[in-house]
Amino acid sequence: MPWCPKCKAEYREGFTECSSCHVPLVDELPAEKDVPEQEQYVLPDGMEKPIAVYTAKNRLEAETVCDLLRDHDIVTIDRPAAFRQIQAYSGADARFGVEILVDASQTAQARALIDEMNHDLAEQPVDEDELARLAEEQAMETPEQPMEDNVSFKLLPVVIGVIVVALVLLYFVAN
């Protein structure tokens, strides 16, 4: 199974890049050694000293903020704000948040962009019609995927048949 060398997330076969860290996956994780936490992370090009500039409530908000910053040529990475073990077992992004990190030289610009985005969102609440229109546009852009056969539904008649036969046998044995 492929692994992300940065966040240590496990992926299914066929994936080549971590969806969170945007780094290539490896077949095996290197052995853990006593390395300071800051050195355990593989920093992207252009980032020397990562500083947390924002804690998003969930992964979707984090991706939105990261996209905004990347559109303004600011290199970003994100990580769970909680301990990785807690996040792995509980899916705790929504509970603890996701930290957005940028290089120390770009913190002021990143915070200004995030504050402007939050200010714009607070000023203009999105109405229901606009949300419906955006959802419809997104649905039209998403390629249609074929339905997958679910093996458990194919086995359902067999399971029901076995149960019926067992009940009939119990009936005859009891009488």
Side-chain angles (χ1 to χ4, degrees):
M1 292 288 196
W3 294 84
C4 175
K6 185 172 153 191
C7 69
K8 312 240 185 307
E10 183 179 11
Y11 282 82
R12 292 179 299 189
E13 292 297 330
F15 288 88
T16 59
E17 182 179 276
C18 178
S19 61
S20 299
C21 308
H22 305 289
V23 297
L25 300 177
V26 296
D27 289 333
E28 290 184 13
L29 288 175
E32 298 249 353
K33 44 188 172 174
D34 295 330
V35 178
E37 184 179 339
Q38 187 176 14
E39 294 178 17
Q40 288 180 2
Y41 295 104
V42 178
L43 297 176
D45 293 338
M47 186 178 290
E48 294 176 13
K49 184 177 178 191
I51 302 287
V53 292
Y54 186 72
T55 302
K57 293 179 190 91
N58 53 44
R59 174 85 30 215
L60 179 61
E61 182 184 7
E63 289 178 11
T64 302
V65 171
C66 285
D67 287 344
L68 168 75
L69 296 176
R70 289 182 189 125
D71 287 347
H72 288 86
D73 298 324
I74 298 175
V75 179
T76 65
I77 56 174
D78 57 65
R79 67 177 181 201
F83 295 107
R84 292 196 187 285
Q85 292 82 3
I86 294 171
Q87 197 268 340
Y89 287 111
S90 66
D93 277 357
R95 204 169 317 139
F96 297 104
V98 180
E99 285 183 329
I100 310 295
L101 293 93
V102 300
D103 191 61
S105 63
Q106 297 178 314
T107 55
Q109 182 185 5
R111 286 186 175 136
L113 288 167
I114 293 168
D115 289 343
E116 181 181 330
M117 178 189 78
N118 286 335
H119 179 71
D120 290 346
L121 289 174
E123 277 185 0
Q124 302 172 353
V126 181
D127 64 358
E128 296 292 324
D129 293 335
E130 180 66 13
L131 283 176
R133 187 187 63 75
L134 290 172
E136 189 174 311
E137 281 181 13
Q138 186 177 13
M140 296 302 284
E141 291 174 0
T142 306
E144 191 172 317
Q145 297 178 353
M147 295 291 288
E148 294 182 18
D149 286 339
N150 192 336
V151 175
S152 61
F153 285 121
K154 289 180 180 177
L155 292 176
L156 189 60
V158 174
V159 171
I160 291 173
V162 169
I163 291 172
V164 168
V165 168
L167 289 173
V168 168
L169 287 174
L170 282 173
Y171 175 77
F172 286 122
V173 170
N175 289 334

